[in-house]
Amino acid sequence: VARKDIPGQASLVFDVALLDLHNPKDGISIENKVVPENCERRSQSGDFLRYHYNGTLLDGTFFDSSYSRNRTFDTYIGQGYVIPGIDEGLLGVCIGEKRRIVVPPHLGYGEEGRGNIPGSAVLVFDIHVIDFHNPSDSISITSHYKPPDCSVLSKKGDYLKYHYNASLLDGTLLDSTWNLGKTYNIVLGFGQVVLGMDMGLREMCVGEKRTVIIPPHLGYGEAGVDGEVPGSAVLVFDIELLELVAGLPEGYMFVWNGEVSANLFEEIDKDGDGEVLLEEFSEYIHAQVASGKGKLAPGFDAEMIVKNMFTNQDRNGDGKVTAEEFKLKDQETKHDEL
């Protein structure tokens, strides 16, 4: 049937620009792969990926980019959180890999399209994988150097001084104590660093150098640290332990190094008035520490420990300790805490 504006029996000329084509049987295609030489692990379903991408149509028309937002796109893969073509195309990648994923519309945004993506469009994603991890991952420890004498190993309660470089898996440096020129100091096992770091510093000897890789659920999580650590980032710490001060047995903040005096209360109560005030108590404890007869838990505020010890003895809370109130924590062991 002839249209009104087309004469009957007319020859027609069409200038056609082919934008794209696909077959409903097409799968995705993966092109231009750049795979790092060192690829110890490839992504699989259930992993959480952070990646950058540029998205275009087959003719090069731009429609989206994570680079323009200055942050990675982060998602679980193989579980339907992204379009099927990307869900499939991100399987089997290495950390640091670059690849082009061409997605037919039935594995993309279909006949309807989305936003500035036309209906039935073939999509091209240029992907750069920044890192990935699995929620079941623990930390990874690689020891690079151990001194000949590596018999004393760090444990909960020890006071550690160490240097570190913190970086992302792509090598981006986040922080370095070497650059600051001073060590980072913590008491191990008391929540003073992220859990992965606390785990990574265990059973380490002075002089040892190791690399600890920490997944985000044992690091700074989905939130990261604003302006410092990206959300959901895997972290790499290169660590050197410089000093270890042995902690006290678990549950103790002060111990005696020898036998406890049988007349302990009388020794503390120098003026013999039957009452010990905080000042007397503090003076006595510090004297024992200075002479080597007693030891406070390293890495904590000494005055705070002594004050807590005094408060524990001051059972009626009247600001003074009497002989009746005064008791050792454990009469059965030599590690008595006041």
Side-chain angles (χ1 to χ4, degrees), residues 7-57:
Q9 306 300 318
S11 295
L12 304 179
V13 178
F14 292 91
D15 290 318
V16 176
L18 181 61
L19 296 180
D20 66 29
L21 60 87
H22 73 280
N23 189 288
K25 297 179 182 178
D26 287 347
I28 64 169
S29 66
I30 295 174
E31 307 166 1
N32 299 342
K33 290 201 293 185
V34 179
V35 182
E37 289 183 15
N38 183 20
C39 181
E40 297 179 358
R41 170 174 164 184
R42 291 181 178 272
S43 63
Q44 51 190 302
S45 181
D47 285 343
F48 189 86
L49 262 71
R50 297 193 315 126
Y51 64 95
H52 272 303
Y53 70 89
N54 281 325
T56 63
L57 305 181

Side-chain angles (χ1 to χ4, degrees), residues 50 52 70-72 74 130-131 167-170 172-174 216 219-235:
R50 297 193 315 126
H52 272 303
N70 199 30
R71 62 158 297 158
T72 56
D74 308 336
I130 302 302
D131 66 29
S167 60
L168 303 179
L169 276 179
D170 65 0
T172 301
L173 184 66
L174 300 176
Y220 292 99
E222 293 181 18
V225 179
D226 190 31
E228 296 182 46
V229 181
S232 300
V234 179
L235 304 178

Side-chain angles (χ1 to χ4, degrees), residues 195-217:
L195 182 56
M197 186 57 131
D198 203 293
M199 295 164 66
L201 287 166
R202 305 258 174 154
E203 298 185 356
M204 192 174 186
C205 62
V206 173
E208 183 176 344
K209 298 177 183 179
R210 59 171 56 170
T211 297
V212 180
I213 299 177
I214 303 177
H217 51 276

Side-chain angles (χ1 to χ4, degrees), residues 265-266 273-275 313-316 320-328:
F265 183 82
E266 289 75 12
D273 65 354
E275 297 177 344
Q313 295 297 322
D314 181 17
R315 300 170 201 283
N316 64 4
K320 56 196 175 186
V321 176
T322 62
E324 290 72 29
E325 290 177 301
F326 186 78
K327 286 182 183 141
L328 294 173

